[in-house]
């Protein structure tokens, strides 16, 4: 089957299944999701032909993970997204079992998609040591129709020296950027000791690539998993940042609660040696249940760095699979660096979604429901002055038997999200230690039908989670522990 035939077949099946998936109450209203079936990592986040583009790992034939295609959406404003034709399908010998994650870049009015071709060498024993991963490219002049290059793969496992400590079976997720007159590509990899590392390549034309060095790697003392997936190199407020998604992170108290994490190092890139010199320990980007494989883009149009992530997690319960779809993307976020820490904030363009504002400036002294503040799709902004309080509980998506609870204890400084009663299939608690600012804590909360994203103190910390409540779960209950002076802004979406 040719690539065009495979794309047409996938489109046809997607259209059929979309009729089922759109009936699901949990299907998001304003987050990116596929018309039907499985999605995971965002790919190719870029700006091309006057539109923002997001591609994503996609299995168009099932709500379960399977041979990866690249789905595609585009937007003029980062808020209203339109589904575009599927961009890539696994049809060639070098990518027959999956077009894995990658990135995009424009050159000479042409959009280049860089992705990992995945091949399973032993179908009967699909093990990690029986696979081959290479780096490939497809190009488009219109941003819609993509053609794979005839000389794919453009980088294979013979590209790095034999004497380096690199396990050849794990070599994926290329991220490309330009610095001066040279292009660079970082690729996630694994050492022979089963720890994570990132490799860097360079090219003058995006087609012929030269291995430079091991850009960064974990040490024996670090708890940074067995594989570094989806590496990103970012420039944020004149800081250089290496963003990673380590797999297999062991719990350390409550610091690492997901087996797979996404976080970053601040540092300095030495383009002569190809080494990224780290300046801090690994820091988490999102402390919730569901945020993985983020991808950044340098938004030159607005002079900022943007990030979007997969709002799900490996090993998570996904009740929506029974309704013909699985997975969604986070809202786009703006990254900033303050006091040597990366902050994540919702993009300001999301204000376009706001409807029917209700606001209060009130003293909370007992449990209460405020008139006009309820729903399932909304933005809720609060500033709580805890000078006379020991903390609070804020219950979201409340029905007779359901609630998702966020809370703060001033003595321990622990902020928690609890979803033990959040609906079908999910339970558990996530937490992060948060210092107050002048006895105040601010929250910006985005709720969609099956998700919550909570931005704390202007994006200093973020907690994101999938939840699966019923349609009746629309209540919001404020429970002060003491007296709270509260400013509350609520917007329907």
């Amino acid at each position: 089957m040719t690539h065009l035939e495979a794309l047409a077949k996938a489109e046809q099946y997607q259209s059929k299944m979309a009729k089922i998936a759109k009936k699901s109450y949990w299907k998001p209203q304003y987050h990116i999701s596929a018309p039907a079936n499985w999605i995971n990592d965002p790919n190719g986040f870029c700006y091309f032909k006057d539109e923002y583009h997001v591609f994503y790992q996609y299995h168009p034939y099932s709500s379960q993970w399977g041979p990866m295609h690249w789905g595609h959406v585009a937007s003029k404003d980062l808020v209203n997204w339109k589904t575009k034709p599927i961009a890539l399908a696994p049809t060639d010998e070098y990518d027959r079992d999956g077009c894995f994650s990658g990135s995009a870049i424009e050159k000479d009015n042409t959009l280049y998609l860089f992705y990992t071709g995945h091949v399973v060498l032993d179908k009967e024993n699909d093990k990690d040591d029986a696979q081959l991963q290479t780096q490939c490219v497809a190009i488009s002049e219109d941003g819609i129709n993509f053609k794979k290059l005839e000389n794919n793969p453009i980088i294979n496992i013979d590209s790095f020296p034999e004497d380096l400590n690199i396990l050849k079976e794990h070599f994926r997720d290329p991220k490309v950027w330009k610095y001066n007159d040279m292009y660079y590509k970082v690729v996630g990899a694994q050492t022979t000791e089963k720890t994570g590392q990132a490799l860097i390549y360079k090219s003058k034309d995006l087609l012929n690539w030269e291995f430079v060095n091991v850009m960064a790697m974990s040490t024996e003392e670090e708890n940074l998993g067995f594989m570094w997936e989806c590496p990103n190199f970012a420039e944020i407020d004149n800081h250089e940042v290496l963003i990673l998604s380590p797999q297999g992170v062991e719990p350390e108290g409550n610091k690492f609660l997901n087996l797979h994490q996404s976080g970053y190092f601040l540092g300095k890139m030495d383009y002569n040696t190809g080494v990224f010199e780290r300046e801090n320990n690994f820091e988490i980007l999102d402390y919730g249940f569901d945020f993985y494989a983020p991808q950044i883009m340098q938004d030159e149009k607005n002079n900022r760095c943007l990030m979007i992530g997969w709002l799900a997690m490996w090993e998570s319960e996904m009740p929506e699979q029974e309704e013909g779809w699985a997975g969604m993307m986070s809202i786009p976020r703006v990254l900033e660096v303050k006091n040597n820490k990366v902050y994540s904030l919702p993009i300001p363009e999301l204000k376009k979604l706001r409807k029917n504002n209700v606001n209060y400036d009130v003293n909370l002294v007992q449990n209460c429901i405020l008139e006009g503040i309820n729903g399932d799709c909304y933005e809720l902004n609060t500033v709580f002055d805890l000078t006379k309080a020991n903390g609070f509980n804020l219950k979201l998506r409340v029905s007779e038997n359901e609630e998702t609870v966020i809370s703060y204890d001033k003595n321990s400084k622990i902020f928690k999200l609890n979803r033990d009663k959040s609906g079908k299939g999910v339970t558990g608690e996530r937490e992060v230690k948060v210092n107050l600012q002048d006895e105040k804590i601010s929250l910006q909360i985005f709720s969609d039908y099956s998700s919550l994203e909570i931005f704390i103190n202007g994006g200093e910390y973020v907690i994101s989670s999938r939840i699966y409540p019923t349609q009746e779960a629309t209540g919001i209950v404020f429970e002060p522990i003491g007296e709270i002076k509260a400013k509350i802004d609520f917007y329907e979406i």
Side-chain angles (χ1 to χ4, degrees):
M1 186 183 300
T2 68
H3 191 233
L4 289 177
E5 289 171 339
L7 293 174
K9 180 182 177 182
E11 287 282 347
Q12 184 178 16
Y13 193 81
Q14 172 187 257
S15 178
K16 174 184 176 182
M17 294 304 297
K19 297 175 182 178
I20 298 172
K22 72 177 183 180
K23 298 177 182 178
S24 172
Y25 167 70
W26 295 320
K27 201 78 162 56
Q29 176 171 300
Y30 59 93
H31 289 73
I32 294 170
S33 67
N37 292 323
W38 173 278
I39 70 172
N40 56 280
D41 309 358
N43 300 149
F45 190 17
C46 66
Y47 189 77
F48 180 71
K49 299 287 186 182
D50 300 319
E51 286 188 303
Y52 293 93
H53 296 260
V54 173
F55 302 82
Y56 48 82
Q57 291 286 277
Y58 186 37
H59 186 215
Y61 297 106
S62 170
S63 60
Q64 307 287 328
W65 187 91
M68 287 292 98
H69 297 54
W70 274 37
H72 183 196
V73 294
S75 172
K76 295 285 188 181
D77 59 5
L78 290 165
V79 177
N80 300 289
W81 297 91
K82 293 183 178 180
T83 300
K84 300 295 184 179
I86 299 168
L88 297 176
T91 55
D92 294 82
E93 188 63 25
Y94 52 82
D95 65 10
R96 65 176 186 243
D97 297 305
C99 298
F100 276 16
S101 289
S103 58
I105 195 169
E106 178 184 3
K107 177 179 179 289
D108 298 331
N109 295 315
T110 299
L111 187 61
Y112 289 70
L113 300 187
F114 292 90
Y115 70 98
T116 295
H118 179 70
V119 175
V120 178
L121 300 175
D122 186 349
K123 295 283 188 178
E124 295 183 0
N125 299 287
D126 186 6
K127 298 180 180 179
D128 284 351
D129 59 356
Q131 64 185 18
L132 177 66
Q133 295 182 341
T134 57
Q135 309 316 314
C136 311
V137 64
I139 61 173
S140 173
E141 294 183 355
D142 61 7
I144 302 296
N145 302 289
F146 291 88
K147 181 181 180 181
K148 299 177 185 178
L149 291 194
E150 293 182 359
N151 61 333
N152 276 334
I154 56 171
I155 302 178
N156 57 43
I157 58 175
D158 297 324
S159 65
F160 37 78
E162 285 285 344
D163 59 349
L164 286 182
N165 184 20
I166 299 172
L167 191 67
K168 295 182 177 180
E169 288 79 12
H170 291 277
F171 177 52
R172 57 183 177 268
D173 310 336
K175 170 63 180 177
V176 179
W177 73 96
K178 188 177 183 181
Y179 178 77
N180 291 336
D181 60 349
M182 191 72 71
Y183 295 95
Y184 292 87
K185 176 187 294 185
V186 58
V187 184
Q190 189 180 67
T191 69
T192 55
E193 285 79 28
K194 305 294 181 70
T195 59
Q197 61 182 345
L199 314 179
I200 190 168
Y201 293 78
K202 66 180 180 180
S203 171
K204 290 185 177 180
D205 60 5
L206 289 176
L207 301 178
N208 298 285
W209 292 88
E210 175 188 347
F211 176 78
V212 181
N213 211 336
V214 176
M215 182 175 171
M217 64 187 301
S218 59
T219 65
E220 294 181 359
E221 296 77 23
E222 291 178 308
N223 174 21
L224 287 177
F226 56 77
M227 171 66 189
W228 285 0
E229 290 197 306
C230 304
N232 282 248
F233 179 77
E235 295 183 7
I236 308 170
D237 298 331
N238 298 317
H239 293 265
E240 293 178 328
V241 184
L242 178 61
I243 294 173
L244 302 165
S245 292
Q247 292 184 296
V249 177
E250 296 296 329
E252 292 180 354
N254 287 316
K255 184 178 181 182
F256 298 121
L257 288 168
N258 291 337
L259 180 64
H260 311 300
Q261 290 289 345
S262 296
Y264 66 91
F265 294 110
L266 294 173
K268 186 65 179 177
M269 183 66 207
D270 187 331
Y271 284 95
N272 293 320
T273 64
V275 174
F276 181 82
E277 297 291 347
R278 296 192 253 160
E279 297 175 351
N280 69 314
N281 294 324
F282 187 74
E283 296 288 343
I284 301 297
L285 282 167
D286 192 305
Y287 285 82
F289 292 91
D290 298 289
F291 185 83
Y292 191 67
Q295 182 155 114
I296 67 98
M297 68 160 287
Q298 303 293 159
D299 185 14
E300 297 179 0
K301 177 183 176 183
N302 295 294
N303 191 30
R304 58 186 179 174
C305 183
L306 303 178
M307 178 179 73
I308 194 167
W310 179 37
L311 203 59
M313 181 62 68
W314 301 115
E315 287 89 36
S316 286
E317 293 287 337
M318 298 181 182
E320 74 266 33
Q321 289 177 311
E322 300 174 7
E323 301 187 352
W325 66 286
M328 56 194 282
M329 298 301 156
S330 71
I331 57 174
R333 305 173 183 183
V334 180
L335 300 183
E336 299 179 357
V337 175
K338 301 178 183 178
N339 301 317
N340 292 317
K341 179 179 177 62
V342 173
Y343 282 58
S344 301
L345 303 99
I347 56 168
E349 287 92 334
L350 291 172
K351 293 176 182 178
K352 293 181 181 180
L353 296 171
R354 293 175 172 177
K355 297 181 294 186
N356 302 328
N357 176 229
V358 177
N359 58 76
Y360 287 86
D361 193 341
V362 62
N363 284 344
L364 302 175
V365 295
Q366 60 185 7
N367 300 355
C368 67
I369 297 171
L370 299 177
E371 184 177 354
I373 297 185
N374 60 79
D376 45 22
C377 293
Y378 56 79
E379 177 187 346
L380 173 61
N381 300 324
T382 68
V383 179
F384 292 152
D385 186 333
L386 303 182
T387 302
K388 298 180 180 180
N390 291 320
F392 63 85
N393 296 313
L394 176 55
K395 296 182 177 180
L396 310 171
R397 302 305 304 274
V398 178
S399 68
E400 183 178 355
N401 299 309
E402 299 164 289
E403 61 184 21
T404 299
V405 184
I406 59 177
S407 62
Y408 184 73
D409 181 88
K410 195 164 74 169
N411 293 324
S412 66
K413 301 181 181 180
I414 297 298
F415 185 99
K416 292 183 179 181
L417 166 68
N418 184 290
R419 62 176 189 178
D420 286 341
K421 298 180 181 179
S422 292
K424 187 173 182 179
V426 294
T427 57
E429 195 168 71
R430 290 291 183 265
E431 67 180 47
V432 62
K433 192 171 185 178
V434 176
N435 291 316
L436 297 181
Q437 301 173 348
D438 298 324
E439 294 293 312
K440 297 177 182 178
I441 186 170
S442 67
L443 305 176
Q444 188 172 12
I445 301 169
F446 286 84
S447 173
D448 208 332
Y449 291 120
S450 61
S451 67
L452 282 175
E453 291 167 89
I454 304 164
F455 298 82
I456 307 166
N457 286 347
E460 183 179 8
Y461 301 99
V462 188
I463 293 182
S464 299
S465 180
R466 298 298 300 280
I467 56 174
Y468 299 92
T470 62
Q471 297 184 47
E472 291 74 33
T474 59
I476 298 176
V477 181
F478 297 85
E479 296 185 353
I481 305 173
E483 180 182 346
I484 295 177
K485 186 175 182 180
K487 293 182 180 294
I488 301 168
D489 252 327
F490 178 86
Y491 302 89
E492 293 180 6
I493 291 180

